[in-house]
Amino acid sequence: IRTNIGSSDAFRLKNFAFGKMTAPVLPENEVLSLGAVNVSSGQYLIVSLEKKLYSINTSGEAAEIKGGLTEGKRWSIIQAAEGTRVAQGPVYLSNGVDAPLYWTGAAKNTEAKAWTSKPEGEFANLAGFDPKYLVYFANRVWAAGMISTSAEKESALRWSGFAVVAGEGERADPTNWPTENVVWFEKDDGQPITGIGIAGAYLMVFKKHKTWAVYDLNEGENRRVSDAVG
């Protein structure tokens, strides 16, 4: 996705998610994170580069949406369904070090802001919430890799709760993290979770040499599918 354009301090990013488009010009450096999203103002790529986050629209226009971040960290970038605090199906971002963020995408240069939470539950006001890995699946946000907490919590998979909306039933609520929404994956083995993902109807959880499939998305029930691959 990277080609030189005649100078040592710039490159072009070709948007493979949306097809051909005019490529934006950004600072020369390694793109560590890349996510495609579709929000109220249109389709974008979200890119982390150096100490900043950028949005790139389908016209190839790049706009800074957050600066002053930790350099060299990979961001997990997801889009959740419309929540109760932030409308328009916002984008949620976390890298395990900087404060987690959300981006509404109301405009290409809308600033990414602090991801907030209810003042109760496991992460009241998101205190201690610093996951390296995020997935949006089955109307929930799943989080793992809390690196500022104990080794035991690095083996924890947590998921967000719901909000009841009058006339609509339950709706995803990424600001709600019930204390009981957690399952541990061999928390005494000294190995942190190294990634989470989706495979069909299952949420997959990985450690260095282990893989699990979560088949009960309400209780976190799971089965180990490998002791050698992670």
Side-chain angles (χ1 to χ4, degrees):
I1 61 174
R2 174 176 170 180
T3 58
N4 292 327
I5 57 171
S7 68
S8 60
D9 60 353
F11 75 93
R12 289 185 181 270
L13 181 69
K14 180 171 287 186
N15 182 345
F16 61 84
F18 304 136
K20 293 181 179 179
M21 71 176 198
T22 303
V25 177
L26 295 169
E28 170 76 8
N29 211 323
E30 181 184 4
V31 173
L32 292 177
S33 311
L34 185 67
V37 301
N38 188 0
V39 290
S40 60
S41 59
Q43 294 178 305
Y44 293 88
L45 289 177
I46 304 299
V47 175
S48 70
L49 191 66
E50 297 177 343
K51 298 181 180 181
K52 298 179 180 181
L53 288 166
Y54 295 87
S55 73
I56 303 171
N57 64 17
T58 53
S59 297
E61 299 168 325
E64 180 183 329
I65 59 174
K66 192 68 176 179
L69 303 168
T70 303
E71 190 169 5
K73 297 298 179 183
R74 296 182 184 275
W75 287 82
S76 185
I77 304 169
I78 63 169
Q79 185 173 8
E82 185 173 311
T84 59
R85 292 282 185 91
V86 185
Q88 307 302 336
V91 180
Y92 292 90
L93 310 97
S94 184
N95 67 4
V97 176
D98 295 293
L101 301 170
Y102 78 87
W103 186 66
T104 64
K108 65 181 181 181
N109 59 348
T110 300
E111 183 182 8
K113 297 183 179 180
W115 181 352
T116 58
S117 176
K118 290 182 170 60
E120 68 265 353
E122 178 65 21
F123 299 106
N125 298 316
L126 287 193
F129 185 78
D130 58 353
K132 292 176 67 177
Y133 314 112
L134 297 173
V135 165
Y136 181 70
F137 183 54
N139 210 24
R140 303 167 174 88
V141 176
W142 302 80
M146 309 288 182
I147 64 174
S148 70
T149 53
S150 66
E152 175 183 310
K153 290 187 177 181
E154 289 187 68
S155 293
L157 174 70
R158 299 185 180 276
W159 57 97
S160 62
F162 300 102
V164 178
V165 181
E168 299 183 27
E170 291 185 331
R171 182 186 290 176
D173 186 1
T175 72
N176 178 21
W177 292 86
T179 302
E180 64 272 17
N181 285 11
V182 59
V183 62
W184 287 271
F185 292 82
E186 297 192 3
K187 59 185 177 182
D188 297 323
D189 67 0
Q191 297 292 323
I193 290 174
T194 56
I196 55 178
I198 302 167
Y202 302 100
L203 182 79
M204 307 303 294
V205 178
F206 304 93
K207 287 192 172 185
K208 188 174 182 180
H209 299 298
K210 300 172 185 176
T211 303
W212 291 265
V214 179
Y215 57 85
D216 185 332
L217 301 177
N218 293 312
E219 302 296 331
E221 295 292 331
N222 59 85
R223 60 175 177 269
R224 191 160 63 190
V225 297
S226 176
D227 288 322
V229 178

